[in-house]
Amino acid sequence: MEPIFIGKGIEYRKEFENYVQILKERLTEKRFYHSLAVAKEALRLAEKYGCDAKKAFLAGLLHDICKDDDPNLQLQLFGEFGIILDTVEKKARKLWHAIAGAAYIKEKLLLNDEEIISAVRYHTTARKGMSLLEKILYLADFTSEDRDYDGVDDMRRAVDVSLEHAMREALIFTVVDLTEKGMPVHSDTMEAYREIVK
Ligand code: DGI
Ligand code: FE
Ligand code: FE
Protein backbone atom coordinates (compact mmCIF):
# COMPACT_ATOMS: atom_id res chain seq x y z
CA MET A 1 0.00 0.00 0.00
CA GLU A 2 1.80 3.12 -1.22
CA PRO A 3 0.47 6.65 -1.63
CA ILE A 4 -0.32 7.71 -5.19
CA PHE A 5 2.14 10.37 -6.26
CA ILE A 6 1.37 12.79 -9.05
CA GLY A 7 3.37 15.63 -10.65
CA LYS A 8 6.44 16.51 -8.63
CA GLY A 9 5.76 13.59 -6.33
CA ILE A 10 6.70 11.17 -9.12
CA GLU A 11 9.81 13.15 -10.07
CA TYR A 12 11.06 13.40 -6.50
CA ARG A 13 10.38 9.77 -5.77
CA LYS A 14 12.58 8.87 -8.78
CA GLU A 15 15.25 11.36 -7.78
CA PHE A 16 15.37 10.02 -4.22
CA GLU A 17 15.07 6.33 -5.14
CA ASN A 18 18.34 5.57 -3.28
CA TYR A 19 16.83 6.95 -0.04
CA VAL A 20 13.56 5.13 -0.73
CA GLN A 21 15.50 1.84 -0.97
CA ILE A 22 17.31 2.52 2.32
CA LEU A 23 13.96 3.25 4.01
CA LYS A 24 12.44 0.08 2.63
CA GLU A 25 15.25 -1.94 4.22
CA ARG A 26 15.17 -0.11 7.57
CA LEU A 27 11.43 0.27 8.19
CA THR A 28 8.40 -1.94 8.63
CA GLU A 29 5.96 -1.88 5.73
CA LYS A 30 3.54 0.32 7.68
CA ARG A 31 6.22 2.84 8.65
CA PHE A 32 7.59 2.85 5.09
CA TYR A 33 4.13 3.70 3.77
CA HIS A 34 3.78 6.39 6.46
CA SER A 35 7.11 7.94 5.40
CA LEU A 36 6.03 8.16 1.74
CA ALA A 37 2.67 9.60 2.80
CA VAL A 38 4.36 12.27 4.97
CA ALA A 39 6.72 13.13 2.07
CA LYS A 40 3.69 13.57 -0.20
CA GLU A 41 1.85 15.75 2.34
CA ALA A 42 4.98 17.82 3.09
CA LEU A 43 5.38 18.46 -0.66
CA ARG A 44 1.74 19.60 -0.88
CA LEU A 45 2.12 21.94 2.10
CA ALA A 46 5.44 23.30 0.78
CA GLU A 47 3.80 24.27 -2.51
CA LYS A 48 0.83 25.78 -0.71
CA TYR A 49 2.91 27.80 1.74
CA GLY A 50 5.97 28.72 -0.37
CA CYS A 51 8.62 26.41 1.03
CA ASP A 52 11.26 24.43 -0.92
CA ALA A 53 9.19 21.45 -2.14
CA LYS A 54 12.17 19.16 -2.73
CA LYS A 55 13.52 19.70 0.80
CA ALA A 56 10.06 19.17 2.27
CA PHE A 57 9.64 15.91 0.33
CA LEU A 58 13.05 14.63 1.42
CA ALA A 59 12.50 15.65 5.06
CA GLY A 60 9.18 13.77 4.95
CA LEU A 61 10.80 10.68 3.48
CA LEU A 62 13.58 10.57 6.07
CA HIS A 63 11.88 11.86 9.23
CA ASP A 64 11.23 8.44 10.83
CA ILE A 65 14.30 6.64 9.47
CA CYS A 66 15.34 5.47 12.96
CA LYS A 67 11.80 4.85 14.28
CA ASP A 68 11.94 1.06 13.96
CA ASP A 69 15.49 0.70 15.31
CA ASP A 70 16.14 -1.22 18.50
CA PRO A 71 16.50 1.27 21.43
CA ASN A 72 19.97 -0.13 22.12
CA LEU A 73 21.02 0.76 18.58
CA GLN A 74 19.68 4.29 19.11
CA LEU A 75 21.65 4.57 22.37
CA GLN A 76 24.74 3.33 20.57
CA LEU A 77 24.33 6.10 18.00
CA PHE A 78 24.04 8.70 20.80
CA GLY A 79 27.27 7.37 22.30
CA GLU A 80 29.02 7.38 18.94
CA PHE A 81 28.12 11.02 18.25
CA GLY A 82 28.37 12.38 21.80
CA ILE A 83 24.65 13.08 22.17
CA ILE A 84 23.59 13.63 25.80
CA LEU A 85 19.91 13.09 26.64
CA ASP A 86 18.11 15.33 29.14
CA THR A 87 15.94 13.95 31.98
CA VAL A 88 12.68 13.80 30.00
CA GLU A 89 14.39 12.33 26.92
CA LYS A 90 15.98 9.58 29.02
CA LYS A 91 12.52 8.45 30.15
CA ALA A 92 10.63 9.00 26.88
CA ARG A 93 11.95 6.51 24.34
CA LYS A 94 9.47 7.76 21.74
CA LEU A 95 11.55 10.93 21.50
CA TRP A 96 14.74 9.03 20.64
CA HIS A 97 13.96 8.36 16.99
CA ALA A 98 13.92 12.08 16.13
CA ILE A 99 17.29 12.70 17.80
CA ALA A 100 18.74 9.52 16.31
CA GLY A 101 17.22 10.23 12.88
CA ALA A 102 18.84 13.66 12.65
CA ALA A 103 22.25 12.22 13.62
CA TYR A 104 21.81 9.28 11.24
CA ILE A 105 21.03 11.33 8.13
CA LYS A 106 23.86 13.74 8.92
CA GLU A 107 26.57 11.31 10.00
CA LYS A 108 25.68 8.05 8.24
CA LEU A 109 23.87 9.17 5.09
CA LEU A 110 26.10 12.27 4.92
CA LEU A 111 23.18 14.46 3.93
CA ASN A 112 24.63 17.93 4.19
CA ASP A 113 21.52 20.04 4.71
CA GLU A 114 21.05 21.60 8.14
CA GLU A 115 17.47 22.70 7.35
CA ILE A 116 16.39 19.13 6.66
CA ILE A 117 18.41 17.79 9.60
CA SER A 118 16.77 20.19 12.06
CA ALA A 119 13.29 19.51 10.63
CA VAL A 120 13.86 15.81 11.38
CA ARG A 121 15.37 16.64 14.79
CA TYR A 122 12.29 18.60 15.93
CA HIS A 123 9.53 16.71 14.10
CA THR A 124 8.33 15.00 17.31
CA THR A 125 8.58 17.70 20.00
CA ALA A 126 8.45 20.89 17.92
CA ARG A 127 10.38 23.83 19.44
CA LYS A 128 10.11 27.59 19.73
CA GLY A 129 11.11 29.67 16.71
CA MET A 130 10.47 26.93 14.16
CA SER A 131 11.41 27.46 10.51
CA LEU A 132 8.84 27.08 7.73
CA LEU A 133 10.29 23.67 6.82
CA GLU A 134 10.20 22.51 10.46
CA LYS A 135 6.52 23.48 10.77
CA ILE A 136 5.63 21.80 7.47
CA LEU A 137 7.24 18.51 8.48
CA TYR A 138 5.74 18.64 11.99
CA LEU A 139 2.25 19.19 10.53
CA ALA A 140 2.59 16.78 7.58
CA ASP A 141 3.25 14.08 10.19
CA PHE A 142 -0.21 14.89 11.66
CA THR A 143 -2.15 15.12 8.39
CA SER A 144 -0.62 12.52 6.05
CA GLU A 145 -3.16 10.24 4.35
CA ASP A 146 -2.31 7.21 6.51
CA ARG A 147 -3.28 8.97 9.78
CA ASP A 148 -6.62 8.00 11.36
CA TYR A 149 -6.61 9.25 14.99
CA ASP A 150 -9.67 10.97 16.50
CA GLY A 151 -9.52 14.57 15.38
CA VAL A 152 -7.52 14.02 12.17
CA ASP A 153 -10.26 15.65 10.06
CA ASP A 154 -10.07 18.81 12.19
CA MET A 155 -6.27 18.84 11.80
CA ARG A 156 -6.59 18.43 8.00
CA ARG A 157 -8.97 21.39 7.89
CA ALA A 158 -6.67 23.43 10.14
CA VAL A 159 -3.61 22.84 7.99
CA ASP A 160 -5.43 24.25 4.97
CA VAL A 161 -6.46 27.39 6.90
CA SER A 162 -2.95 28.49 7.89
CA LEU A 163 0.25 27.04 9.32
CA GLU A 164 -0.05 29.20 12.44
CA HIS A 165 -3.60 27.99 13.09
CA ALA A 166 -2.59 24.36 12.51
CA MET A 167 0.51 24.65 14.75
CA ARG A 168 -1.73 26.00 17.50
CA GLU A 169 -4.21 23.15 17.11
CA ALA A 170 -1.46 20.51 16.92
CA LEU A 171 0.37 21.78 20.00
CA ILE A 172 -2.83 21.99 22.05
CA PHE A 173 -3.74 18.47 20.88
CA THR A 174 -0.28 17.14 21.86
CA VAL A 175 -0.01 18.82 25.26
CA VAL A 176 -3.57 17.77 26.24
CA ASP A 177 -3.00 14.21 24.98
CA LEU A 178 0.35 13.75 26.79
CA THR A 179 -1.02 15.27 30.00
CA GLU A 180 -4.09 13.01 29.94
CA LYS A 181 -1.80 10.02 29.53
CA GLY A 182 0.40 11.20 32.38
CA MET A 183 3.45 11.49 30.13
CA PRO A 184 6.08 14.21 30.75
CA VAL A 185 5.91 17.03 28.20
CA HIS A 186 9.33 17.94 26.81
CA SER A 187 10.57 21.50 27.40
CA ASP A 188 10.89 22.06 23.61
CA THR A 189 7.18 21.22 23.25
CA MET A 190 6.23 23.49 26.18
CA GLU A 191 8.27 26.38 24.77
CA ALA A 192 6.61 25.95 21.34
CA TYR A 193 3.22 25.80 23.07
CA ARG A 194 3.84 28.98 25.07
CA GLU A 195 5.09 30.82 21.99
CA ILE A 196 2.18 29.85 19.74
CA VAL A 197 -0.80 29.23 22.02
CA LYS A 198 -1.42 32.70 23.41
O1 DGI B 1 6.93 8.97 14.75
P1 DGI B 1 5.47 9.18 14.55
O2 DGI B 1 4.64 8.14 15.25
O3 DGI B 1 5.09 9.33 13.13
O4 DGI B 1 5.08 10.57 15.25
P2 DGI B 1 5.95 11.47 16.25
O5 DGI B 1 7.37 11.51 15.83
O6 DGI B 1 5.24 12.77 16.35
O7 DGI B 1 5.90 10.69 17.62
C1 DGI B 1 4.75 10.74 18.39
C2 DGI B 1 5.03 10.11 19.72
O8 DGI B 1 5.94 10.91 20.47
C3 DGI B 1 3.78 9.98 20.53
O9 DGI B 1 3.72 8.64 21.04
C4 DGI B 1 3.94 10.93 21.67
C5 DGI B 1 5.43 11.13 21.75
N1 DGI B 1 5.75 12.52 22.17
C6 DGI B 1 5.69 13.63 21.42
N2 DGI B 1 6.01 14.72 22.16
C7 DGI B 1 6.31 14.26 23.39
C8 DGI B 1 6.15 12.85 23.40
N3 DGI B 1 6.37 12.09 24.50
C9 DGI B 1 6.74 12.70 25.62
N4 DGI B 1 6.94 11.98 26.70
N5 DGI B 1 6.92 14.06 25.70
C10 DGI B 1 6.72 14.90 24.63
O10 DGI B 1 6.87 16.12 24.74
FE1 FE C 1 8.34 10.42 14.25
FE1 FE D 1 6.14 10.15 11.48
Side-chain angles (χ1 to χ4, degrees), residues 31 34 38 63-64 67 97 123 141 147:
R31 183 63 47 183
H34 167 70
V38 173
H63 80 287
D64 276 340
K67 179 92 178 184
H97 77 285
H123 87 266
D141 203 12
R147 293 297 203 196

Side-chain angles (χ1 to χ4, degrees), residues 71-95:
N72 289 317
L73 205 70
Q74 295 174 337
L75 286 175
Q76 201 181 308
L77 198 80
F78 299 153
E80 192 178 339
F81 297 111
I83 295 165
I84 314 282
L85 300 181
D86 68 25
T87 326
V88 170
E89 287 161 357
K90 272 186 197 143
K91 281 188 282 182
R93 282 191 184 184
K94 291 213 168 135
L95 301 179

